[in-house]
Amino acid sequence: MAMDWKHLGAALAAAREAAQPRLTQQAAGDAIGVGRTTIQKIERGQSYAKVQPVHRAYAELLGWTGSSVDRVLAGGDPALRADTDGDADRRAAAVIADGVAPGDLSVRVLQALIEGPLLDSDVITITSPSGREVRAALVVRGEPGLSREEEIRDLQAWRERAQALEHVTDQDDGSS
């Protein structure tokens, strides 16, 4: 199968420019942990031997389904995920918390934060031995394509583990 990198680049550029508010190449690169020049190369249709993680991260940022990169490379059109309204800037802002520079999060972490159905989220606070509080943000996502029943089972499994985690952190900080 021939891969049409120019078609992919044009489709990604069009999706980025259609985002409301408009998403710049710099903002897109920042959101997925790469430089603007990488986004420019992709949008110009630079050829690669195979699809790279950055292609999938960029497509994910724009709200495309997991198979869209391959579909577009084969000459087709991208499909939007069911959980998106096409507003890439809003999703990127949701992923990047206030005070965290986009470059502070790897592509792998950004992808994990937006991939799959949201099952739960929480912030846990642990008190260090010196009395300082340390916070950890948890985002629990299921695998894409699971049935509602499977998501509920996964959520229940997560909640059981979270309760055990809370018990461990309570013991560690001396509050139990």
Side-chain angles (χ1 to χ4, degrees):
M1 169 187 87
M3 293 191 275
D4 190 347
W5 295 101
K6 296 235 183 261
H7 182 58
L8 176 65
L12 288 166
R16 177 184 54 77
E17 290 172 354
Q20 292 299 318
R22 187 171 173 267
L23 184 62
T24 66
Q25 288 177 329
Q26 183 67 50
D30 288 348
I32 63 172
V34 299
R36 182 178 59 87
T37 56
T38 300
I39 299 298
Q40 288 175 326
K41 288 176 184 177
I42 290 170
E43 289 185 358
R44 280 192 213 122
Q46 178 176 326
S47 293
Y48 294 80
K50 63 181 184 174
V51 175
Q52 302 296 308
V54 68
H55 294 110
R56 299 210 189 277
Y58 191 16
E60 179 77 21
L61 174 70
L62 296 171
W64 291 10
T65 63
S67 63
S68 285
V69 170
D70 301 303
R71 289 173 48 166
V72 173
L73 282 170
D77 293 319
L80 290 179
R81 291 188 320 266
D83 66 336
T84 182
D85 60 6
D87 184 355
D89 223 16
R90 180 191 55 74
R91 286 191 313 282
V95 168
I96 302 166
D98 187 29
V100 176
D104 289 347
L105 301 173
S106 69
V107 171
R108 183 174 54 96
V109 169
L110 288 169
Q111 183 103 14
L113 288 172
I114 60 177
E115 185 176 70
L118 179 66
L119 300 179
D120 196 9
S121 61
D122 200 359
V123 175
I124 61 170
T125 302
I126 301 168
T127 305
S128 71
S130 65
R132 293 191 179 118
E133 289 188 347
V134 178
R135 291 176 310 280
L138 301 171
V139 177
V140 182
R141 293 209 172 260
E143 290 185 31
L146 293 179
S147 70
R148 189 67 183 144
E149 293 78 23
E150 291 170 316
E151 287 180 6
I152 291 168
R153 281 195 301 266
D154 287 352
L155 178 58
Q156 183 58 39
W158 158 246
R159 286 185 176 153
E160 290 169 6
R161 287 175 177 84
Q163 287 175 344
L165 180 61
E166 284 179 22
H167 180 68
V168 169
T169 58
D170 286 346
Q171 286 180 348
D172 288 346
D173 69 15
S175 63
S176 57

